[in-house]
Amino acid sequence: MLNFADLVKKRRSIRKFEERPVEADKLETIVRAGLMAPSSKNCTPWQFVIVDDKEILKKFSVCRDMGCKFMEGAPAAIVVLADGTKSDVWVEDASIAAVIMQLQAEDLGLGSCWMQVRNRKKEENLTTEDYIKSIINAPAEMKVECVVAVGYKLEEKKPFDDSRLQLDKVHKNTF
Ligand SMILES: Cc1cc2nc3c(=O)[nH]c(=O)nc-3n(C[C@H](O)[C@H](O)[C@H](O)COP(=O)(O)O)c2cc1C
């Protein structure tokens, strides 16, 4: 088992997956991790939709003109939504939950990749968010931050190399 520092280094965005399905208990472990994420005022505004329906994943893969094609080859994904009426910082809450789920996926030996939904457009008069919401029947008050693809890795990526650390971006006491 990796220690946390090594897990953080090992997590890379994986966009090629084996066809084999992800076990239901692993997907449950991932969303359970999301449900433990910190949230502002502990208002827990998020909702997660586990998707393993190939047809739905295929529809996700055309939700924008780029950056989403890999969804078609993913065996599973988690749509990360939040109730915009419950929190004015739902973006932060949803993002934190998404990243925690990505780290949990890595710890289970799975690869993952974030697909951006918020502030993106499918076409001129249709946001990516509305497109995704219509596919999964999400209620009106729900916002969609992202969809996280999950699956067994079909590509290996090198762990983050310490030599790439941008330590000049770290300041002490004053900027
Ligand atoms: C807010 C956010 C949005 C992202 N959106 C996408 C996306 O739409 N499509 C995609 O392929 N990767 C997306 N990514 C993954 C980034 O491209 C990736 O994290 C970055 O290139 C660093 O690579 P690494 O994750 O392998 O370290 C997103 C990541 C974040 C944090």
Side-chain angles (χ1 to χ4, degrees), residues 14-73:
I14 297 298
R15 300 181 180 86
K16 290 183 187 138
F17 302 98
E18 290 182 15
E19 268 186 34
R20 71 170 146 144
V22 178
E23 298 82 347
D25 63 315
K26 290 197 174 173
L27 291 171
E28 187 184 325
T29 301
I30 292 170
V31 290
R32 277 174 174 264
L35 293 170
M36 287 185 247
S39 66
S40 174
K41 300 177 186 165
N42 202 18
C43 97
T44 65
W46 8 253
Q47 302 265 344
F48 309 124
V49 178
I50 298 173
V51 177
D52 63 0
D53 180 310
K54 281 301 223 183
E55 285 308 306
I56 297 179
L57 292 163
K58 201 169 172 183
K59 287 179 185 166
F60 287 175
S61 75
V62 293
C63 69
R64 287 162 40 200
D65 57 357
M66 58 188 287
C68 54
K69 189 95 181 59
F70 64 91
M71 257 317 151
E72 191 175 2

Side-chain angles (χ1 to χ4, degrees), residues 20-162:
R20 71 170 146 144
V22 178
E23 298 82 347
D25 63 315
K26 290 197 174 173
L27 291 171
E28 187 184 325
T29 301
I30 292 170
V31 290
R32 277 174 174 264
L35 293 170
M36 287 185 247
S39 66
S40 174
K41 300 177 186 165
N42 202 18
C43 97
T44 65
W46 8 253
Q47 302 265 344
F48 309 124
V49 178
I50 298 173
V51 177
D52 63 0
D53 180 310
K54 281 301 223 183
E55 285 308 306
I56 297 179
L57 292 163
K58 201 169 172 183
K59 287 179 185 166
F60 287 175
S61 75
V62 293
C63 69
R64 287 162 40 200
D65 57 357
M66 58 188 287
C68 54
K69 189 95 181 59
F70 64 91
M71 257 317 151
E72 191 175 2
I78 297 158
V79 185
V80 182
L81 308 101
D83 187 336
T85 66
K86 274 194 177 173
S87 173
D88 60 347
V89 289
W90 67 268
V91 175
E92 290 86 340
D93 292 340
S95 299
I96 291 165
V99 172
I100 286 186
M101 290 193 283
Q102 285 196 274
L103 290 170
Q104 178 62 79
E106 186 65 47
D107 194 48
L108 291 167
L110 297 162
S112 72
C113 189
W114 177 307
M115 183 189 77
Q116 182 68 20
V117 174
R118 191 180 69 85
N119 276 354
R120 295 288 178 267
K121 275 190 168 180
K122 171 164 168 51
E123 50 210 55
E124 182 66 15
N125 294 314
L126 180 60
T127 63
T128 302
E129 178 176 54
D130 284 343
Y131 173 74
I132 298 282
K133 281 175 71 174
S134 70
I135 296 168
I136 60 168
N137 292 326
E141 69 277 14
M142 282 295 143
K143 306 281 191 186
V144 187
E145 173 61 29
C146 62
V147 180
V148 176
V150 178
Y152 287 96
K153 300 175 191 177
L154 196 59
E155 61 176 334
E156 266 311 316
K157 286 196 174 174
K158 285 192 178 139
F160 196 93
D161 188 332
D162 275 350

